[in-house]
Amino acid sequence: MLRNLKLTGLTLALTALCTGTVYAHSLWVNINESFAHPPGHVITSLGWGHAMPLDDFLMSEAGAIEIEKYSLVGPDNSITPIPVPVIKQEKTTESKTGMSIVPGDLGLRKISLTDKTIPGTYQVTAESKATYFTGYVDANGKHKMTTKPMDEIKGAKSFDFSTRYKAVGKSYFGVKKWTQPKPLGYELEIMSETDMSNVKAGDLVKFTVTLNGKPLTCDMKGMNYLHMTSNTFGGPDQYMLTAYVMDGKAQIRVPTPGAWRASVTVKKEVTKDNDLKALVKKCRSIYYGASVSFTAKPK
């Protein structure tokens, strides 16, 4: 049951990515700071889906993702693992009004400060497992979909598509002061160039975007964009803010207070002649996804 549920969700997400729509699920990190009782604490959770701050469970019929790493990164770039969410089939309770109540784990964790906490900027990051999506025609001429690379599918007559997808989400919080966060070496990475602990509506937020350590840009091989979305902007029309990524830089002015997500998605073709040639028997393309989430204050 769990395998079928996961496959259905991944098929929906993949279809959205391949058709270029904005409906593909995104991964992000939510942070809520509480300093009412010193020394204070931070609540972190994982967002998955569309609408911030919370939309869906990591495993559902509408989309699914497995978290490989969940981490707290200190101002000194030290990494402390956070227990990853437990993905399992939970018992559903049926309500008396025709609704289902489903429990689940969204990575809700409490990070408590102490008098020994190092001042500076902390990053909370989540990294999904790399997952393959392959559509193929089997020996009987039927079109099928699986979460396996091409070289693990036996008896396929032909392939409709095959891609690999991996997502990274991060968010920041500052303790006593803001220090410039350091890159963490992700394949696709968005790094803030703005003090994210003090963003207000109307402020310009700036980011550096790298792919495999090199500045991402717009060129003849493709146009790359940074998107920003929020429940406080766009409304039922579901539009978003967009900026070109040029020479690794992108910036967008925040129009409204509230929770925001900045994200970048990049597709690369796999060929026997490019730097992805090691995957040529496994898939035909790769999708990278990255996000940075933050909260903008009123003016």
Side-chain angles (χ1 to χ4, degrees), residues 30-241:
N30 295 303
I31 283 181
N32 183 69
E33 302 176 25
S34 178
F35 297 104
H37 301 284
H41 65 265
V42 170
I43 297 293
T44 177
S45 64
L46 300 182
W48 172 241
H50 306 278
M52 292 188 72
L54 297 175
D55 185 358
D56 206 349
F57 284 143
L58 300 172
M59 179 69 68
S60 75
E61 293 180 352
I65 196 167
E66 246 185 296
I67 302 301
E68 183 174 54
K69 295 178 182 178
Y70 193 16
S71 307
L72 173 66
V73 183
D76 57 353
N77 243 32
S78 62
I79 299 176
T80 303
I82 299 173
V84 299
V86 176
I87 304 297
K88 63 180 180 179
Q89 189 70 27
E90 299 278 7
K91 183 179 179 180
T92 299
T93 302
E94 300 300 326
S95 77
K96 297 178 180 179
T97 55
M99 292 187 289
S100 298
I101 301 170
V102 184
D105 184 353
L106 274 174
L108 185 66
R109 308 289 185 257
K110 180 178 178 179
I111 302 171
S112 297
L113 282 64
T114 71
D115 56 5
K116 297 180 180 179
T117 298
I118 299 173
T121 298
Y122 287 78
Q123 304 181 66
V124 178
T125 70
E127 183 178 1
S128 77
K129 290 185 177 180
T131 304
Y132 290 91
F133 308 82
T134 302
Y136 67 100
V137 179
D138 69 8
N140 298 318
K142 294 183 178 180
H143 290 267
K144 292 188 175 182
M145 163 75 188
T146 184
T147 52
K148 293 181 180 179
M150 294 188 297
D151 61 355
E152 293 184 12
I153 301 172
K154 307 301 181 183
K157 293 177 64 176
S158 62
F159 294 96
D160 297 322
F161 60 84
S162 185
T163 193
R164 192 194 76 171
Y165 177 66
K166 188 164 188 173
V168 173
K170 67 166 71 170
S171 190
Y172 309 97
F173 66 93
V175 176
K176 295 184 179 179
K177 63 179 181 178
W178 180 266
T179 54
Q180 182 58 40
K182 299 178 178 66
L184 301 175
Y186 293 125
E187 291 173 313
L188 177 64
E189 185 161 11
I190 307 173
M191 291 163 285
S192 169
E193 300 295 338
T194 301
D195 180 348
M196 305 307 286
S197 67
N198 196 35
V199 175
K200 298 182 177 64
D203 287 352
L204 192 67
V205 291
K206 300 180 179 182
F207 300 96
T208 294
V209 186
T210 58
L211 181 64
N212 295 318
K214 299 178 181 179
L216 188 68
T217 195
C218 294
D219 53 30
M220 296 300 293
K221 296 180 181 179
M223 303 299 288
N224 294 298
Y225 306 89
L226 181 137
H227 301 285
M228 270 192 7
T229 184
S230 170
N231 276 359
T232 64
F233 180 86
D237 297 326
Q238 296 297 304
Y239 54 84
M240 65 183 70
L241 298 168

